[in-house]
Amino acid sequence: MSTVPQNGKRLLRALAGECLEMPPIWLMRQAGRYLPEYRALRARSGSFLELCLTPTLAAEVTLQPIRRYGFDGAILFSDILVVPYGLTQPVAFREGEGPVLDRLIGVADLQRLNRLGFRERVAPVGETVRLVRRALPDDVALIGFAGSPWTVATYMIEGGSSRDFGRVKRWLYRDPAGFAALIDILVDATTEYLDWQVEMGAEVIQLFESWAGVLAAPAFERWVIEPNARIVQRLRERNPTIPVILFPRGAGANYLAASEAVRTAGLGLDTTVPLDWARQVLQPRHALQGNLDPQVLVVGGDALATEVARIRSALAGGPYIFNLGHGVLPETPPEHVAELVRLTRT
Ligand code: CP3
């Protein structure tokens, strides 16, 4: 974190280690159901997956929150489950139910995943990246993303969201070699997918490890740290300057091991991470990102002002990026988001 450029996009400056008085801001799930213009467009488009795979519409949705709020970063509008789709696993999103996948039951099912043609099946996402990059204001950085292998594997094996991760955990304990074969497929596909997003114009990459918080420490080491480290290393071999943000949500004390082993420019903090500890232990190694509780953004008012001030004063001594500790909730009043942006720019 020695390069300290004095100009350029604020999000990239923070990721390069610069300490900015007013932190750059973007929000996970900044495009989505809390925005009336998203709901209107969604009602006119087909399925959610079709929306993700229609570049003109996905680009428009990516730009909606940029126009409304002037965030410092635009996150590509897509979903982490585009990768299983690209590997030919059937994926659908059902209203009120979330994602539904034709689940993998055992190692024999890995043969049903097809790496051939992966690039062609996810090609519309690359086109979205290109369209957004062309349309973005000069001071806004484009963030590409993918789910991390462990998190994506949970959906592929559970067949959707899960409460206890029973199926995927039983698989990895019963048959670690078979599970490793799935993780290897995901490491390869994810690296190719991200490499291509960078080629098409992504300037930052975020890895969403949303279910980092459900594994025992040795399993965390093997199935969270190791695959993410491989992706970051390979991505860097091909794109030496690309800043990566790892978001190992819920990792708790395992944040330390993740920070030591996966040397990303940015580290995303979930809402529970104590900021004094993060400042002392993690901030010397990364630009930190986070970690406002999304429920505080639903509440707004004094609670929002108090929490924003607390987070800013805790992290202001080093590089950081203002964000939530998880995604914007659908019930969030859009005017609270405008107020949040204002609070970070005074
Ligand atoms: O952040 C953004 O604005 C970019 C778009 C984005 C979406 N999903 C759009 C989306 C991103 C970065 C994601 C990531 C994602 N998708 C994650 C990791 C982050 C996290 O939330 O932990 C995960 C686990 C998924 C899988 C997923 N997609 C689930 C579980 C669901 C259903 C729950 C829900 O919120 O509806 C989705 C659907 C989804 N992805 C929607 C959006 C806007 C809602 C679908 C709709 O509009 O009908």
Side-chain angles (χ1 to χ4, degrees), residues 195-207:
D195 194 37
W196 192 50
Q197 289 182 29
V198 174
E199 197 179 310
M200 298 305 272
E203 300 167 280
V204 176
I205 292 296
Q206 175 150 318
L207 282 163

Side-chain angles (χ1 to χ4, degrees), residues 7-283:
N7 49 38
K9 305 186 185 193
R10 284 156 32 79
L11 182 63
L12 301 181
R13 286 165 63 188
L15 284 166
E18 191 174 344
C19 179
L20 299 166
E21 205 180 327
M22 287 184 292
I25 179 171
W26 69 279
L27 303 179
M28 293 184 276
R29 290 281 179 100
Q30 64 191 21
R33 284 167 296 185
Y34 77 106
L35 286 178
E37 58 269 36
Y38 173 81
R39 293 196 300 270
L41 188 146
R42 179 82 175 78
R44 288 189 276 109
S45 56
S47 70
F48 175 71
L49 199 57
E50 278 176 63
L51 173 57
C52 291
L53 296 172
T54 308
T56 50
L57 296 181
E60 169 59 21
V61 174
T62 306
L63 293 166
Q64 285 175 344
I66 305 306
R67 290 195 198 105
R68 198 188 251 261
Y69 301 115
F71 287 120
D72 296 288
I75 182 160
L76 161 70
F77 188 81
S78 182
D79 197 86
I80 63 167
L81 299 179
V82 163
V83 167
Y85 163 83
L87 292 169
T88 70
Q89 184 173 19
V91 178
F93 289 84
R94 299 215 183 113
E95 204 63 50
E97 204 184 325
V100 182
L101 294 82
D102 197 350
R103 69 187 177 80
L104 307 177
I105 304 208
V107 73
D109 288 343
L110 299 186
Q111 280 153 23
R112 288 193 348 229
L113 301 177
N114 191 355
R115 282 281 280 113
L116 286 177
F118 173 78
R119 171 83 63 113
E120 286 66 37
R121 283 185 292 274
V122 300
V125 176
E127 179 59 13
T128 305
V129 170
R130 202 179 61 81
L131 291 177
V132 173
R133 181 68 191 273
R134 225 170 43 185
L136 274 184
D138 286 345
D139 52 352
V140 182
L142 177 52
I143 305 162
F145 75 90
S148 292
W150 157 251
T151 291
V152 173
T154 69
Y155 289 93
M156 295 174 83
I157 293 172
E158 298 287 339
S161 302
S162 173
R163 231 167 230 293
D164 60 4
F165 301 90
R167 289 191 169 104
V168 63
K169 286 188 178 185
R170 288 192 296 271
W171 185 342
L172 74 85
Y173 283 112
R174 232 176 237 151
D175 175 22
F179 189 69
L182 172 58
I183 293 292
D184 286 348
I185 290 169
L186 288 170
V187 166
D188 288 347
T190 304
T191 307
E192 178 184 343
Y193 181 57
L194 292 175
D195 194 37
W196 192 50
Q197 289 182 29
V198 174
E199 197 179 310
M200 298 305 272
E203 300 167 280
V204 176
I205 292 296
Q206 175 150 318
L207 282 163
F208 284 91
E209 189 69 283
S210 299
W211 300 113
V214 303
L215 290 173
F220 183 91
E221 178 76 36
R222 177 148 185 207
W223 307 116
V224 171
I225 291 184
E226 209 255 325
N228 281 300
R230 271 155 66 202
I231 291 171
V232 170
Q233 191 198 341
R234 287 206 218 160
L235 203 56
R236 249 192 227 132
E237 280 164 14
R238 299 175 213 189
N239 314 277
T241 61
I242 190 78
V244 178
I245 303 168
L246 175 66
F247 177 50
R249 186 171 73 91
N254 289 323
Y255 257 99
L256 179 58
S259 159
E260 283 170 344
V262 194
R263 296 296 179 107
T264 48
L267 187 65
L269 307 179
D270 68 66
T271 294
T272 68
V273 177
L275 295 184
D276 287 344
W277 176 80
R279 177 182 62 236
Q280 289 166 35
V281 176
L282 305 175
Q283 207 172 24

Side-chain angles (χ1 to χ4, degrees), residues 69 297 300-301 304-305 308 334-344:
Y69 301 115
L297 194 55
L304 178 62
V308 171
E335 58 275 18
H336 291 183
V337 177
E339 175 64 6
L340 169 61
V341 172
R342 199 190 60 74
L343 287 167
T344 62

